[in-house]
Every structure is written in C-alpha cells, then in structure tokens.
Amino acid sequence: MTTSSSERGVSLGMPQLPAPAYPDDVRTRLETDAREIIARYPDSRSALLPLLHLVQSEEGHVTRTGMQFCADVLGLTTAEVTAVATFYTMYRRRPSGDYQVGVCTNTLCAVMGGDAIFEELQEHLGVGNGETTDDGKVTLEHIECNAACDFAPVVMVNWEFFDNQDPASAKRLVDDLRAGRPVEPTRGAPLCTFKETARILAGFPDERPGAVEASGGAGPASLVGLRLARGEAAPARVVHPREGGPHDEPHDTAVHKPSPTEHLSSHDAPQDTSASDPAHPAGPTAEEGE
C-alpha cells in the first residue's frame, strides 16, 4: 500500500513563476545605463558586479526581476547571476532600509566595544541581525572587518565611516537617521541613501555638490604606516638591547649583531641554546632521532 505525498506531509508545491518584468520606462532607462557599464569591459560578463549594484539602486535590493534583467543584457543564465548575487553580502536579497547600519564585530572592534554596541542597538531598535525597523529607515547588521582597526570600534552607514563609537553615540546616530536629522560621517563623503550609494558603486558619478572633494577616506592614524614606508619618520635609534635600556642619544649607527648566547626577545628566531637562562644552560638542541 502506498501513501500520497499529502498524506506523508510532503508538499511538492508549484514551480516558481518567471520573474515579473520591469515596467517599460524603467527597463529602457536601465538598459541605457547597462550599455554604459558594459562598454567599460572587454568581456561583457565582467560587468555583472556593477550591474547588480545598478538594479539594487532601483529597488533597494536585488530582486528576481533585477537578476533576470542582468542575465538578459549579459547573455547569462539566471543561475549564473544568482550564484554571484548570493555570494557577496553587499547585495541585499530582501527589502532593506534607507540606511544600512553595520557594526563591526570582528576581533579588534569586538574587544574595543563592538559587541556591546551591536547588542544595545538590537535592543534599542527592536530588530535582529539583518532586520529593518518598522519605519523602513534602518537595517541593522553585524559586519566583518572594515579595514579601520585604528579607529575601533567602527560603525558604517551605507559604507561611510563613523569611527570610535560607543553604545551611546551609536544610539544617537540611529535616532538621528530615523528622525531625518543631518548626520555627518567621521570622514569620507557626505551620507546618502542606500539606493544612491548603490548607483555610485555601479560606477556612476556622485553629482552632489562637493561630495567628491569631501571623499578622502583615510584618517591620520591610517597614514602613519604610509609615512613610515616613505621614510618620512625620524630615523630609528640603534640601541644595544642589554646595556642600560633605551637612551635619548643615538648609539653608533652600525647595526648590532647579537652573539648566539645573547637573548633578544620572544619574537626572535629560536636559538640553538638556552641563552635566555644562562644559569641553566641546556646545550645545543638535539635533532629528533639523534
């Protein structure tokens, strides 16, 4: 005796209908933009990433209609487009807020307070990770490293930096966003909506007055390494590691070459003898099997 799928509690469901098409005027406008994007690349499929930003700028997230559009103009299958759109977290798969508020919870930001900021924002906004407030203004998410560890903990809004945050300042930030009050990033370009950001990421110019001139993103702390690499810092003082500690006056400029019995630091290459403990020498380290 056999049982039907319904009796077994299995629902096969109906096949998903094709994605609805964009209205004619929207598709015409997007096709014009798409041609401009595709013309930048020798291979048209290389334009997929910016095209996904383009369709995201239309509806605030990448819809089935947007993926079908990308497939049509690039001669790809929807499966190929979907594989890319679902791989990168910068493409939203469901309706999102005007402002994507991302709290870095990677190692350094987390220990500096990023975890606390994220937890308090969830409670303050009444949403979980990846969820949007009822007014459609803010989508909250935790994100990986923003390459701004020297300003930790960092919050980003539509990919613009808000550095050195704490729970109180982060709550003021989202309250201002929801109330429509002006909000200025710590550095970088002025803030705009997520749809506007997506169009800029698609490769179209930011036409807001003064936005480009204000878009320098690196702060002083980030530039220290660059100055060191260019030799702009004061020359290092060469100091003997054992004689009296650091001195204000430089020693002889010749680089000191330590003897095999001289202990340097835990970051030095392993020594063959117990030089760190001269009172209890262990002798040369024997190779395994000798």
Side-chain angles (χ1 to χ4, degrees), residues 23-73:
D24 289 343
D25 59 329
V26 173
R27 185 176 180 92
T28 298
R29 173 167 47 79
L30 290 177
E31 285 178 342
T32 301
D33 290 338
R35 284 193 294 271
E36 181 177 338
I37 293 172
I38 293 170
R40 303 171 189 159
Y41 301 92
D43 184 345
S44 63
R45 70 181 298 147
S46 299
L48 178 54
L49 294 180
L51 280 179
L52 286 169
H53 283 299
L54 175 66
V55 297
Q56 185 160 250
S57 73
E58 187 64 32
E59 298 175 87
H61 67 294
V62 177
T63 63
R64 292 175 56 234
T65 298
M67 288 190 283
Q68 184 65 63
F69 172 82
C70 292
D72 291 344
V73 298

Side-chain angles (χ1 to χ4, degrees), residues 4-280:
S4 68
S5 60
S6 59
E7 291 173 325
R8 294 194 303 270
V10 177
S11 176
L12 299 180
M14 292 293 292
Q16 192 174 35
L17 296 173
Y22 283 123
D24 289 343
D25 59 329
V26 173
R27 185 176 180 92
T28 298
R29 173 167 47 79
L30 290 177
E31 285 178 342
T32 301
D33 290 338
R35 284 193 294 271
E36 181 177 338
I37 293 172
I38 293 170
R40 303 171 189 159
Y41 301 92
D43 184 345
S44 63
R45 70 181 298 147
S46 299
L48 178 54
L49 294 180
L51 280 179
L52 286 169
H53 283 299
L54 175 66
V55 297
Q56 185 160 250
S57 73
E58 187 64 32
E59 298 175 87
H61 67 294
V62 177
T63 63
R64 292 175 56 234
T65 298
M67 288 190 283
Q68 184 65 63
F69 172 82
C70 292
D72 291 344
V73 298
L74 294 176
L76 302 174
T77 66
T78 53
E80 290 173 309
V81 175
T82 302
V84 174
T86 56
F87 181 83
Y88 294 103
T89 58
M90 57 190 172
Y91 301 122
R92 313 302 182 192
R93 297 298 310 283
R94 56 184 178 181
S96 298
D98 293 333
Y99 300 100
Q100 306 283 322
V101 176
V103 182
C104 181
T105 55
N106 214 326
T107 307
L108 185 57
C109 278
V111 300
M112 294 292 288
D115 283 344
I117 292 173
F118 185 63
E119 290 173 7
E120 292 210 23
L121 283 183
Q122 287 186 94
E123 182 178 354
H124 183 67
L125 295 173
V127 297
N129 181 45
E131 296 179 353
T132 304
T133 54
D134 292 338
D135 57 9
K137 293 291 186 181
V138 170
T139 297
L140 178 67
E141 63 176 348
H142 75 82
I143 49 180
E144 293 300 322
C145 182
N146 291 311
C149 302
D150 39 1
F151 299 101
V154 174
V155 173
M156 297 196 84
V157 180
N158 295 347
W159 310 122
E160 298 296 345
F161 288 103
F162 290 81
D163 302 320
N164 302 311
Q165 295 292 298
D166 57 40
S169 65
K171 286 188 284 190
R172 287 195 301 271
L173 170 61
V174 296
D175 287 346
D176 288 343
L177 292 172
R178 298 183 72 183
R181 291 188 285 267
V183 171
E184 292 294 331
T186 308
R187 52 201 165 93
L191 196 62
C192 59
T193 67
F194 183 65
K195 288 183 179 180
E196 292 169 329
T197 301
R199 183 169 177 82
I200 295 169
L201 291 174
F204 293 97
D206 187 342
E207 298 177 348
R208 296 174 297 160
V212 175
E213 291 77 10
S215 61
S222 301
L223 298 175
V224 171
L226 178 60
R227 290 198 296 271
L228 289 171
R230 289 175 174 173
E232 297 174 6
R237 295 190 296 269
V238 181
V239 179
H240 193 286
R242 285 295 186 183
E243 293 180 358
H247 303 288
D248 289 333
E249 66 278 359
H251 281 240
D252 188 275
T253 56
V255 177
H256 173 71
K257 294 183 179 180
S259 69
T261 60
E262 190 173 279
H263 176 61
L264 300 180
S265 76
S266 60
H267 297 285
D268 297 314
Q271 303 294 307
D272 290 335
T273 64
S274 297
S276 60
D277 190 5
H280 299 86

